Amino acid sequence: MSENEVRRHIEGCKNGNRLSQQWIFDRYYRLMFGVCLRYTNDTDRVQDMVQEGFLKVFTNIEGYTSKGSFEGWMRRIMVNTAIDAIRKHKADRMEATEDAHLEVLVGVEEEEEEAGRDFTVQEILDAMEQLSPAYRAVFNLYVFDNYSHQEIAEKLGISVGASKSNFAKAKRNVKRILLGEHELKVAK
Amino acid sequence: MSENLNWLDQLKKTFNGFEPEVVGDWTRMERELDAADAGTSNDMARRMRNAQRIAAGATAIAAGMAFWVMSPALIEEEGAEGVGVATVAADHETDDAVSELNSSAPSLFSPSGGPGDMVTSEGARTSNTFVVDLPSLTVKASPVAVETVAEDLPTSHDEAETKTTAAASAEHAGSMVHDEIENASRILSPEAKLEAALSAMTASVQEACAGTEVTFALNGLDQEGSVLWNFGDGGFSQEMAPTHTYNDPGSYDITVSVRAPGDGMIRTRTVENMIVVRPKPEAEMNWEFFDATSNEARVHLINETEDASSSTWLLEQEGLNEAEVVLDIPGAYHVNLVASNKFGCQDIAVEDIHLGSRKEAIAPALFSPDGDGRYDTFMPLMLMDFEGEWNLTIWDGDVQVYETSKTRQPWRGDLANGGAAEIGKQYTWKLVTQTPMGEKHLYVDQVLIDGE
């Protein structure tokens, strides 16, 4: 896939060309699915997010100015869509206080050693699944989507301090869950 | 804590290029796109396009430009095949060289390049034609070469076309239909091909909005050689078919130099004002609420774009007929303002309207301003460490009874008229916050005056 080809199809999308839209959709669908999957393991919801995200991509394509990377621009739309979807979802209130599971884990001294091995995508997703949606969002935005705490605070409507503390807790817990599973497997 | 960074980087790396085995439902996507198109967005697109046509047409006529085109979208729609340039460009040193070029689109030459000769109305359909300011060509035609053209190749029946170009510094010019060029190119020498390619330099658009990428090409140049493009704004490229983005409005001269691998001779050609770049508007928006209850708010959208000739509001991708909407609380709403100026150039402002209730603002549902030292004041807790500006108002129905923007001045149940809040009564509070980044949130809910 050449840069020119992508560029040509972006132009096509700007002119409302269905074939170009389909080309972009097919080309990036899986990648964008991967982006949204980090925010929830519920694949039906991920499908809806990606679908809505693409609709935004196509209807706002004029907003893409060729200054940055197209993929990066799409990613940002997907992340926004995922966050919005989570915020709207009643069960996923962005209040980060109700996570009983986390409270148990928080306070355990942070392990200083390296994680020790590579984890698979599935292991990481499973670990993140155990976080509350709020913690998961902060963790994702910071680690994978390169948002600063300031930006996360803006996005989630929380304070910078809350973003930092949620992230610290989320980080500790993800590591703990990953390592815990690891130890469990070794024990077996 | 480099260890932790490494650990997180490791996770990040795992997700790099992660593409799960899923297949997108294009049918559903297409259906949704159709629905979006069929709705207001389609009307909007059509209005925009019409506005662009009108604006571009008016500009061209008013300014008496020597050439003009519509936006790229319009060109596409009308089946542009590229840029037509007509000139004879044969090198004096290669008498046998014949260079002949014309576009497949109807030619529209400007006699002596005078702006007054611009043909408008139906001429608009030939918007993919531009007129070369012939004196700027460094390669001139020789009479001998032109005679060859006249004898060997059928010229256009349109006498006017040859006449108009003759008025310029090149002695003659003819035109041919497209396939005849191809026939001709087979019998042309490499040098002549080079000349032909030079004179067939094209750009994907001739009039573009700032920030638009323009693609240039030298048609028919299949041989190896080196090329240097000068985009006229300080940008250069050595690609055969480069793309370039013009960020500043203005009129740009394009110069291309080619060197054939064989003779090493450099041929240069400049087309003056080949690209006209139009300014883009700077879309800016704001919003304010003017009526809110605890479950919905009436929000007024404010267009702060300075140089727009038309604009459209989109709420969650849906077009709005007016700049006023009723939104449910809580919720986050994505609003776009699509502003377009008299040149048909567009810009889009994006803003999220965040509406929250008690929960989001971490505000108590009740308080008891009885001076017993317990729950005597009302102040949403989110404001305790909020780093932006905010304003809190308390309402008794339509009457504002208290206002504050300082955390050390919480509401103690006192009313503007000097009285005290009634026990057992619900008061509505409205909190508007603005983060240092400029993101605005509105929180609305009710608070009960508790007697206990």
Side-chain angles (χ1 to χ4, degrees):
Chain A
M1 175 196 58
S2 74
E3 273 295 302
N4 272 337
E5 202 175 358
V6 176
R7 214 177 286 146
R8 195 160 50 81
H9 285 298
I10 294 170
E11 275 310 306
C13 288
K14 287 188 179 178
N15 294 327
N17 185 321
R18 272 290 129 75
L19 289 176
S20 287
Q21 288 171 338
Q22 188 175 3
W23 190 92
I24 294 282
F25 183 82
D26 289 341
R27 168 66 189 82
Y28 291 103
Y29 187 86
R30 290 167 35 153
L31 208 57
M32 296 305 140
F33 198 95
V35 170
C36 293
L37 193 58
R38 283 193 275 101
Y39 285 85
T40 173
N41 285 21
D42 181 342
T43 49
D44 282 348
R45 285 179 64 201
V46 173
Q47 222 172 346
D48 289 344
M49 287 174 186
V50 181
Q51 196 78 16
E52 197 187 328
F54 268 107
L55 193 62
K56 286 182 186 168
V57 165
F58 292 135
T59 47
N60 289 316
I61 189 91
E62 291 291 340
Y64 172 66
T65 55
S66 325
K67 272 183 194 151
S69 99
F70 181 61
E71 190 186 308
W73 181 76
M74 280 179 58
R75 262 175 197 276
R76 218 146 169 107
I77 289 181
M78 291 297 162
V79 169
N80 284 342
T81 310
I83 295 286
D84 284 351
I86 288 167
R87 288 177 68 125
K88 276 180 194 162
H89 199 247
K90 268 192 184 161
D92 296 349
R93 276 266 164 260
M94 277 298 170
E95 292 139 20
T97 48
E98 56 198 335
D99 203 323
H101 180 71
L102 278 173
E103 294 311 318
V104 178
L105 292 171
V106 168
V108 175
E109 280 304 305
E110 187 162 349
E111 312 237 357
E112 285 302 321
E113 80 269 24
E114 280 281 310
R117 65 176 181 110
D118 290 337
F119 298 105
T120 63
V121 164
Q122 195 53 52
E123 280 174 316
I124 301 167
L125 285 176
D126 287 347
M128 290 200 296
E129 178 72 351
Q130 296 192 44
L131 300 176
S132 77
Y135 282 22
R136 184 175 188 163
V138 172
F139 187 75
N140 253 312
L141 287 169
Y142 191 86
V143 177
F144 299 106
D145 297 314
N146 300 326
Y147 278 67
S148 67
H149 282 299
Q150 177 72 39
E151 288 171 310
I152 294 171
E154 307 281 325
K155 188 138 278 305
L156 301 183
I158 59 178
S159 71
V160 173
S163 171
K164 283 182 186 167
S165 97
N166 286 0
F167 172 67
K169 289 173 195 164
K171 184 175 74 175
R172 211 176 304 169
N173 285 302
V174 168
K175 191 171 180 183
R176 186 97 191 126
I177 294 161
L178 284 172
L179 285 177
E181 279 181 6
H182 178 51
E183 282 157 12
L184 216 78
K185 274 174 194 160
V186 171
K188 277 179 197 169
Chain B
M1 297 294 278
S2 62
E3 283 190 347
N4 279 332
L5 271 180
N6 287 341
W7 171 70
L8 291 174
D9 281 346
Q10 204 181 328
L11 291 194
K12 196 172 170 182
K13 227 174 89 188
T14 310
F15 271 94
N16 252 353
F18 168 54
E19 296 192 24
E21 289 296 328
V22 287
V23 180
D25 184 351
W26 170 249
T27 319
R28 177 179 163 198
M29 186 80 250
E30 197 169 23
R31 215 168 41 234
E32 287 176 12
L33 282 167
D34 283 343
D37 282 355
T40 42
S41 57
N42 194 29
D43 287 338
M44 187 199 72
R46 203 168 44 238
R47 275 205 306 276
M48 286 288 183
R49 200 165 290 177
N50 282 342
Q52 281 178 3
R53 287 174 204 224
I54 294 161
T59 310
I61 294 161
M65 286 157 44
F67 66 88
W68 63 285
V69 288
M70 305 302 288
S71 70
L74 185 58
I75 292 179
E76 177 96 0
E77 193 174 281
E78 305 202 313
E81 275 113 16
V83 176
V85 181
T87 182
V88 174
D91 203 299
H92 289 288
E93 289 153 73
T94 52
D95 280 353
D96 58 335
V98 175
S99 171
E100 181 56 30
L101 198 286
N102 191 18
S103 76
S104 52
S107 297
L108 180 69
F109 298 132
S110 166
S112 70
D117 298 304
M118 174 75 189
V119 180
T120 48
S121 67
E122 265 309 292
R125 298 198 66 82
T126 62
S127 55
N128 47 359
T129 303
F130 70 82
V131 177
V132 177
D133 196 359
L134 283 166
S136 69
L137 294 178
T138 57
V139 184
K140 300 259 165 65
S142 78
V144 181
V146 173
E147 273 169 32
T148 322
V149 174
E151 282 165 20
D152 294 348
L153 302 161
T155 54
S156 160
H157 297 298
D158 191 347
E159 282 292 317
E161 288 184 4
T162 26
K163 219 162 44 189
T164 52
T165 352
S169 70
E171 283 83 349
H172 296 284
S175 63
M176 300 178 295
V177 286
H178 190 69
D179 53 348
E180 283 163 348
I181 298 180
E182 287 188 351
N183 289 336
S185 70
R186 279 187 219 115
I187 57 162
L188 291 178
S189 66
E191 289 82 4
K193 271 191 189 170
L194 206 63
E195 307 290 356
L198 257 189
S199 40
M201 67 191 268
T202 62
S204 53
V205 289
Q206 287 80 58
E207 184 173 332
C209 300
T212 309
E213 206 168 63
V214 182
T215 305
F216 295 91
L218 287 176
N219 287 344
L221 195 65
D222 51 358
Q223 56 196 311
E224 296 204 348
S226 49
V227 181
L228 179 67
W229 292 85
N230 178 347
F231 300 120
D233 65 345
F236 292 87
S237 172
Q238 287 184 291
E239 279 176 52
M240 206 59 99
T243 54
H244 184 67
T245 304
Y246 288 91
N247 291 317
D248 299 316
S251 190
Y252 296 95
D253 301 346
I254 311 302
T255 302
V256 63
S257 303
V258 287
R259 193 174 67 191
D263 62 0
M265 179 175 281
I266 297 171
R267 288 165 182 80
T268 299
R269 180 168 170 235
T270 299
V271 177
E272 288 181 359
N273 304 322
M274 185 169 178
I275 305 289
V276 174
V277 177
R278 298 298 184 192
K280 253 173 80 166
E282 296 249 335
E284 273 183 55
M285 62 165 291
N286 204 343
W287 62 276
E288 60 185 19
F289 76 98
F290 54 95
D291 195 10
T293 67
S294 50
N295 20 340
E296 61 178 38
R298 280 172 72 194
V299 169
H300 185 56
L301 304 170
I302 307 158
N303 183 352
E304 293 182 343
T305 314
E306 279 182 3
D307 41 6
S309 57
S310 72
S311 53
T312 306
W313 292 102
L314 294 178
L315 171 65
E316 301 287 346
Q317 322 313 328
E318 299 280 326
L320 293 176
N321 291 326
E322 50 182 6
E324 201 186 302
V325 275
V326 177
L327 301 174
D328 290 343
I329 299 175
Y333 304 89
H334 194 66
V335 179
N336 286 338
L337 170 66
V338 185
S340 126
N341 63 13
K342 61 179 177 177
F343 302 110
C345 294
Q346 284 180 7
D347 191 29
I348 301 179
V350 180
E351 184 131 356
D352 287 317
I353 295 182
H354 298 271
L355 303 178
S357 59
R358 190 171 69 73
K359 275 188 156 180
E360 289 78 18
I362 325 175
L366 49 86
F367 77 113
S368 52
D370 51 10
D372 67 351
R374 297 177 65 236
Y375 312 114
D376 278 344
T377 60
F378 173 79
M379 175 65 61
L381 285 176
M382 68 160 283
L383 295 173
M384 294 309 162
D385 59 351
F386 184 70
E387 283 168 3
E389 289 175 20
W390 58 269
N391 181 262
L392 174 70
T393 50
I394 314 287
W395 300 73
D396 178 3
D398 293 340
V399 183
Q400 183 182 317
V401 296
Y402 191 76
E403 179 174 13
T404 178
S405 48
K406 292 191 179 81
T407 45
R408 59 175 188 278
Q409 286 172 5
W411 188 39
R412 299 174 196 278
D414 42 328
L415 304 179
N417 60 13
E422 232 175 276
I423 291 173
K425 186 169 173 174
Q426 296 263 20
Y427 288 84
T428 302
W429 56 267
K430 300 172 187 178
L431 170 64
V432 180
T433 65
Q434 187 159 10
T435 65
M437 304 286 286
E439 195 177 88
K440 221 155 77 172
H441 291 233
L442 165 66
Y443 304 88
V444 182
D445 215 321
Q446 291 188 315
V447 60
L448 175 74
I449 308 297
D450 195 16
E452 297 304 308

